[in-house]
Amino acid sequence: MRTRTPILVSAGLVTAIALTGCGQAGQGDTTTADGRTQLTMWTHSAGNPAELEVYEQIISDFNASQDDYEVVHESFPQGAYNDAIVAAAASGDLPCLLDLDGPIMPNWAWAGYLQPLELPAEITDSLLPTAVGVWDDEIYSAGYWDAALGIFARKSVLDANGIRIPTVDQPWTADEFGDALATLKAAGYETPIDIGAEDTGEWWPYAYSPFLQSFGGDLIDRSTMLSADGALNGPDAVAWGDWFAGLFADAYAGNSGTVGNQEFIDDEVALSYTGVWNAVTALDAVGDDLLILPPPDLGNGPKIGGGSWQWAISSECKEADGARAYLEFSFQDEYITEFADKQVVIPATDAAAQASEYFGDDGALRPFVEFSQEYAVLRPETPAYAVISTTFETAAKDIMNGADVQETLDRAVSEIDANIASNDGYGFQ
């Protein structure tokens, strides 16, 4: 197995090593008392009973459907999960089946943790493009759902202030968005919009790099994947940085709220830039007055982040055919609908969406499906993404706090490019 040192390593690795002290059981070389080959499956879902309930049902149904394999699962807290994978890979203890956050997949494939998925094309072709993970022209992961961002508003508030309600076909322009914020501030909202800036980690590139892309910049030059120069520090990126800093300087947005959507629920802010996962709570609180609006077009069309948790087969799995059999079984529309409705995430197939309580053509959360189809941009599919992510978070927070935009972005480019060069371009040449 080709193994490289992954980027994603943290101080939690010692704890993760303890969590993974289960030997190599479940890689396909263990047989149960009734002669089945045991396959271990790891998830990040500890503490998420709704998600685990669906997994447990799929596993039970699969195990009952055939006599060759027995899938057993172990669930880890999300905060410890990635370190657990890194520790298991270092000791040769990866399970057969593992879930992963879509943007990290290229790093783990490059590091030799994963093998190509090789699911039937009729499955992967039926999924949202953002629910399929590709590295080096091969599919390494696939997921049952995606997530999407939008802007929550109250129709009564927009109407009372003479603000046009944007649509997918006619989103707010940058000027309209700015005027709306100014109007709402003048109407008495001390902070007109909550953009979630009190959050940390992957939220920052997931939520804010789409604004950068809407300006015409990007996290890296995707034509080569060898440099961020020009994409992250060129004129379009600087224009994004000036705009982003202005949201805070003009007190249109802040970073002192609570993570989530409570300020909008309490009508302390007029607008909330947030995710589909907060939509049912908003519906319950606001009712028919709730609007789910597209993000603004800042010059190059509205953009949102794409790619969520997906499934992969480890390179250490000795019974990959059994792992694939389980995954093929699991991608039934009924299960995808269950995930969607219990977690409030976007179903990865159209049939599952149509069967959903929320995401069918007439569902209250249908706008998120449209946003995902129309606006979603994957985070760069490169092993360098883990460094890109943390570097962008640092730069964007510095800009929020008043740092010089050009200097900050130039520094971010230097850090990203140095990492890429030190890893021989991660295979991109």
Side-chain angles (χ1 to χ4, degrees):
M1 180 186 74
R2 179 183 65 177
T3 303
R4 298 183 173 107
T5 302
I7 295 169
L8 198 69
V9 180
S10 80
L13 196 56
V14 174
T15 301
I17 290 171
L19 288 169
T20 61
C22 55
Q24 296 183 358
Q27 292 179 348
D29 52 7
T30 300
T31 303
T32 63
D34 60 357
R36 298 180 183 220
T37 300
Q38 190 175 84
L39 306 173
T40 295
M41 180 180 113
W42 285 6
T43 82
H44 75 291
S45 307
N48 188 339
E51 185 176 350
L52 283 175
E53 180 183 350
V54 184
Y55 283 131
E56 288 166 357
Q57 185 63 58
I58 296 171
I59 292 167
S60 176
D61 292 349
F62 174 74
N63 287 345
S65 73
Q66 44 74 52
D67 299 321
D68 296 323
Y69 304 102
E70 179 185 63
V71 173
V72 295
H73 81 278
E74 298 179 37
S75 298
F76 295 78
Q78 183 170 337
Y81 182 74
N82 284 349
D83 286 335
I85 295 295
V86 172
S91 59
D93 292 336
L94 285 171
C96 262
L97 291 153
L98 63 149
D99 69 348
L100 49 79
D101 199 5
I104 202 62
M105 182 278 294
N107 186 268
W108 288 0
W110 169 82
Y113 295 0
L114 311 175
Q115 58 181 287
L117 204 57
E118 297 182 359
L119 290 180
E122 57 263 30
I123 291 178
T124 52
D125 287 351
S126 72
L127 303 176
L128 289 168
T130 52
V132 178
V134 177
W135 163 249
D136 201 20
D137 298 323
E138 293 194 81
I139 294 174
Y140 277 84
S141 60
Y144 309 114
W145 67 78
D146 201 357
L149 300 180
I151 295 175
F152 292 176
R154 288 173 170 82
K155 184 176 186 299
S156 58
V157 170
L158 298 192
D159 287 347
N161 288 280
I163 297 171
R164 181 180 72 86
I165 296 173
T167 64
V168 170
D169 292 332
Q170 289 188 297
W172 281 326
T173 64
D175 287 343
E176 281 185 296
F177 184 56
D179 289 346
L181 294 176
T183 297
L184 292 166
K185 190 169 183 65
Y189 286 98
E190 183 178 351
T191 304
I193 187 168
D194 177 7
I195 66 169
E198 62 279 346
D199 210 338
T200 60
E202 186 58 24
W203 169 256
W204 279 72
Y206 175 66
Y208 308 141
S209 68
F211 292 146
L212 165 68
Q213 291 150 356
S214 187
F215 265 92
D218 208 342
L219 296 169
I220 193 171
D221 180 351
R222 296 187 191 226
S223 68
T224 66
M225 294 291 192
L226 292 173
S227 175
D229 192 38
L232 186 53
N233 62 348
D236 292 332
V238 172
W240 161 78
D242 289 338
W243 171 85
F244 189 70
L247 292 178
F248 300 94
D250 294 336
Y252 292 154
N255 66 339
S256 60
T258 56
V259 174
N261 198 42
Q262 194 59 44
E263 280 79 9
F264 175 76
I265 298 298
D266 295 339
D267 200 24
E268 294 174 7
V269 297
L271 306 174
S272 178
Y273 176 59
T274 189
V276 61
W277 53 88
N278 285 322
V280 170
T281 302
L283 274 173
D284 290 343
V286 180
D288 292 341
D289 201 24
L290 180 69
L291 296 174
I292 300 172
L293 307 177
D297 178 355
L298 302 175
N300 286 266
K303 311 290 183 186
I304 61 171
S308 189
W309 287 85
Q310 300 172 3
W311 281 93
I313 300 173
S314 82
S315 56
E316 297 173 16
C317 183
K318 299 178 179 65
E319 283 287 347
D321 287 345
R324 290 188 189 98
Y326 167 78
L327 289 177
E328 288 183 38
F329 182 90
S330 74
F331 274 95
Q332 296 180 49
D333 289 323
E334 64 180 288
Y335 298 134
I336 296 174
T337 300
E338 283 288 299
F339 279 124
D341 286 350
K342 288 184 176 178
Q343 294 196 97
V344 195
V345 288
I346 298 167
T349 69
D350 184 63
Q354 295 303 332
S356 163
E357 176 183 356
Y358 301 116
F359 296 101
D361 287 342
D362 297 322
L365 306 188
R366 183 67 185 183
F368 284 108
V369 177
E370 298 173 3
F371 300 166
S372 183
Q373 292 172 341
E374 296 291 330
Y375 305 144
V377 178
L378 287 171
R379 281 151 284 181
E381 295 174 285
T382 167
Y385 180 73
V387 165
I388 292 171
S389 172
T390 56
T391 303
F392 178 81
E393 179 186 4
T394 298
K397 286 181 174 178
D398 288 346
I399 289 169
M400 174 184 70
N401 291 320
D404 182 88
V405 172
Q406 185 72 69
E407 291 179 3
T408 301
L409 295 178
D410 285 343
R411 184 166 56 251
V413 166
S414 295
E415 293 174 7
I416 292 168
D417 285 8
N419 174 266
I420 294 171
S422 70
N423 285 280
D424 298 322
Y426 291 107
F428 293 102
Q429 297 298 338

